[in-house]
Amino acid sequence: MRAQPRSTLRTTGDGGADFPLLIDGRWVSARDGARFAAHDPYLEQDWGEVADAGPADVDAAVVSAHAAFIDRRWSGLLAGERARRLLQLADLLERDAPALVQQQIFENGKLISEMRPGMAAVAGDCRFFAGLAETLQGASVPPSRPGFTTFTLREPMGVVAAITPWNTPLGLLAWKLFPALAAGNTVVIKPSEVTPTSTLMLAELALEAGIPAGVVNVVTGAARTGAALVAHPLVAKVAFTGSTTTGQAIAAQAAGHTARVTLELGGKSPNILFADADLDRAINGVMAGIFAASGQSCMAGSRVLVHSTLFDRVCEALAERGSRLIAGDPLDPATQLGPLASRAQLDKVLGYFEIARAERLRCLVGGQRLPRQGYFVAPTVYADVSPDSRLAREEIFGPVAVVMRFDSEEQAVAMANDTRYGLAAGVWTEDLRLAHRMIHQLRAGTIWVNNYRIIGHTLPFGGYGQSGIGREMGAAALEAYTETKSVWIDLGNPVEFATGPMGDRHGL
Ligand code: NAD
């Protein structure tokens, strides 16, 4: 029998929504009782009810997180003690990994073969940032004026708002929540309305791990909930992953009260095959780049740039292999193509197929919905697409590749960089010198040479251009959740130095 989603939390709420809000360590319904449905994109069925947080609920969550920050119930612990509880959380994430994997699949239809390693990475990310908690340090700095000792401190910022998308719910939350907590902040999470329940399950584990009430809060809902959170004056930082349009709106709103922002946004990443590429590996890389997660990946290699000499062979291979991908139940380990995560995403991708028909693009495979249950579209490849086509310029977030040809390194670089995005790029060549030249010439936050889509917590991830602001992961990510405080200690300067007619003489 097919597994079932968790239909309520382990912790009982106030008798309202199956999946309540977490505010100040208590599970509560939205004040006005509003709810929305959790929906399975494979079965096309609703399976649960989630509280829909309004502005009053968001205010309560932020006030609770702010109180927890001010009384230092978390930041006042030794960093080693915060680390210990995060390590405990990592153990619980491993204990409950099968349930957390399944719950995300019921929410977004992503394949079990993708979600299992993804969940193992979440526990690994938690341990990585736990390990860094005690390394957070300022610097002893040589004074620029005599008679002083000067140094810096790194301090937590306060309330962090973590707003996440639906494509990798817990993975993208991990990149925000764990460094924020390791640095001593308190957090209000606003998961995507498509994938709220797995985040609530993770928050349940945070309480079990001994992270005090009020330090991790969760408000579920859609744009209205997120906008109320970003606008709240007690929010010190917004860490957001999602679309570029939403990210720009969030940055503008956060600027109203000078909240800091980290933005991980969209992409239209090039996967570039040079004439000497190891073709079998390169084709695998192109397939993984665009068809994994049914293309619902910020780092999807959605523009395939191919040297003319390989062009026909690559097109043929992509069409043939794309048509053979096994669509099916995302819970079945043999399935290679899952549904899109929602009806809205299906409609968006079908809209691009319409545009492709209107633009008379040459479709090698796909270009239509699959005639079966679930929000499936066929793996799709368009060839000889003009760089001006909307399909070559806009993020589709579906299993849709455009293939374009080039004749020289210079042309490949110009085509690759001809985008408002800059999240990632793949380069396939056996020529070490060419690979290094490409690494320097490509304008993107991650470059993969002879691989694609590999990420891990020791390297920063983020985008150039409209793909975002800042970086997540890597040791430096911890600092993105801190403020720097500079300290001047007077070592006994003559009294007139401090109190003379000019007071400070530095001119500011
Ligand atoms: P989205 O921008 O529609 O929503 C993201 C989150 O923001 C959701 O929780 C949503 O409810 C919330 N939101 C929407 N409007 C808001 C507003 N006005 N104020 C505050 N919050 C608001 O994105 P999505 O459709 O959930 O996710 C897909 C997008 O995410 C794609 O563009 C993809 O490229 C991007 N993404 C980027 C990365 C990355 O690391 N760069 C990773 C995954 C996904």
Side-chain angles (χ1 to χ4, degrees):
M1 205 183 82
R2 195 174 190 260
Q4 295 296 310
R6 177 99 78 81
S7 60
T8 186
L9 288 177
R10 193 179 297 127
T11 324
T12 30
D14 56 5
D18 299 333
F19 289 96
L21 314 172
L22 176 59
I23 298 178
D24 204 20
R26 286 188 295 278
W27 298 95
V28 294
S29 295
R31 287 182 187 199
D32 62 2
R35 301 154 194 215
F36 62 97
H39 185 77
D40 184 327
Y42 173 66
L43 298 177
E44 300 187 43
Q45 278 172 11
D46 293 348
W47 53 263
E49 274 191 337
V50 186
D52 189 358
D57 303 301
V58 171
D59 179 61
V62 176
V63 166
S64 131
H66 188 249
F69 183 69
I70 294 298
D71 71 16
R72 307 186 76 241
R73 74 186 77 160
W74 182 243
S75 65
L77 297 178
L78 285 174
E81 178 56 24
R82 289 200 302 272
R84 194 184 66 76
R85 297 187 200 190
L86 284 170
L87 291 171
Q88 172 72 11
L89 175 56
D91 289 348
L92 296 176
L93 288 165
E94 274 174 353
R95 181 195 73 190
D96 285 4
L100 289 163
V101 163
Q102 281 185 5
Q103 195 78 3
Q104 291 177 90
I105 294 169
F106 292 120
E107 295 182 316
N108 71 5
K110 209 161 158 178
L111 302 183
I112 196 161
S113 55
E114 297 166 339
M115 292 309 294
R116 274 190 184 138
M119 201 55 225
V122 170
D125 297 348
C126 191
R127 293 198 176 98
F128 177 70
F129 285 108
L132 287 175
E134 283 187 298
T135 71
L136 194 61
Q137 52 191 248
S140 176
V141 181
S144 55
R145 303 173 67 177
F148 288 91
T149 283
T150 49
F151 60 93
T152 63
L153 296 173
R154 285 276 181 182
E155 297 188 336
M157 299 172 129
V159 179
V160 171
I163 302 181
T164 50
W166 42 259
N167 58 335
T168 312
L170 299 187
L172 294 169
L173 174 61
W175 298 4
K176 299 162 181 56
L177 180 65
F178 302 145
L181 291 178
N185 299 279
T186 60
V187 183
V188 179
I189 304 166
K190 209 301 281 171
S192 165
E193 58 276 27
V194 179
T195 51
T197 67
S198 47
T199 294
L200 291 163
M201 286 166 63
L202 185 147
E204 219 179 16
L205 298 182
L207 289 176
E208 190 179 339
I211 295 173
V215 173
V216 176
N217 304 271
V218 185
V219 286
T220 47
R224 171 185 81 128
T225 313
L229 181 57
V230 175
H232 202 292
L234 291 178
V235 166
K237 165 159 181 162
V238 183
F240 171 78
T241 299
S243 63
T244 293
T245 310
T246 305
Q248 288 167 342
I250 283 176
Q253 201 170 28
H257 56 106
T258 327
R260 286 83 177 112
V261 288
T262 335
L263 303 176
E264 299 288 355
L265 308 177
K268 192 75 188 175
S269 298
N271 211 346
I272 308 164
L273 279 59
F274 283 97
D276 68 337
D278 177 330
L279 207 51
D280 285 344
R281 287 171 184 265
I283 299 285
N284 279 342
V286 172
M287 295 285 294
I290 190 59
F291 297 137
S294 290
Q296 301 165 113
S297 168
C298 53
M299 62 188 108
S302 49
R303 292 186 297 146
V304 184
L305 311 185
V306 185
H307 192 268
S308 294
T309 51
L310 301 179
F311 192 83
D312 291 341
R313 279 157 72 198
V314 170
C315 287
E316 209 173 290
L318 291 179
E320 195 269 324
R321 288 186 54 181
S323 66
R324 277 199 288 120
L325 286 182
I326 302 163
D329 187 341
L331 287 172
D332 180 346
T335 301
Q336 296 172 320
L337 183 82
L340 299 180
S342 66
R343 175 88 224 184
Q345 193 58 25
L346 173 69
D347 290 341
K348 183 179 165 194
V349 175
L350 295 179
Y352 278 101
F353 294 158
E354 286 304 315
I355 295 168
R357 277 189 275 278
E359 288 186 2
R360 295 180 184 282
L361 298 188
R362 180 158 75 95
C363 184
L364 299 178
V365 66
Q368 72 219 353
R369 183 173 181 177
L370 288 181
R372 53 168 300 144
Q373 168 195 274
Y375 304 132
F376 286 89
V377 296
T380 299
V381 182
Y382 296 103
D384 284 316
V385 178
S386 149
D388 298 328
S389 163
R390 282 185 61 189
L391 277 87
R393 306 206 75 77
E394 298 176 12
E395 183 182 51
I396 298 173
F397 227 57
V400 184
V402 296
V403 191
M404 302 187 273
R405 67 175 87 213
F406 65 85
D407 292 301
S408 67
E409 174 185 338
E410 194 185 15
Q411 197 185 1
V413 170
M415 289 169 76
N417 289 340
D418 180 20
T419 172
R420 67 184 177 123
Y421 295 112
L423 194 58
V427 177
W428 299 86
T429 176
E430 298 297 298
D431 179 343
L432 191 64
R433 292 185 178 124
L434 172 58
H436 276 272
R437 288 198 301 276
M438 291 302 290
I439 290 166
H440 290 290
Q441 293 175 95
L442 291 169
R443 306 265 313 151
T446 294
I447 310 290
W448 291 293
V449 178
N450 294 334
N451 69 91
Y452 200 90
R453 245 180 155 269
I454 307 289
I455 51 171
H457 48 234
T458 55
L459 273 183
F461 186 80
Y464 282 38
Q466 294 189 23
S467 286
I469 295 178
R471 295 289 181 270
E472 295 192 304
M473 301 207 289
L478 197 61
E479 297 190 350
Y481 290 89
T482 64
E483 294 284 3
T484 302
K485 181 177 278 176
S486 294
V487 182
W488 294 80
I489 298 179
D490 187 313
L491 296 178
N493 287 294
V495 66
E496 64 273 19
F497 187 88
T499 59
M502 298 291 286
D504 170 65
R505 297 176 195 184
H506 204 65
L508 283 180

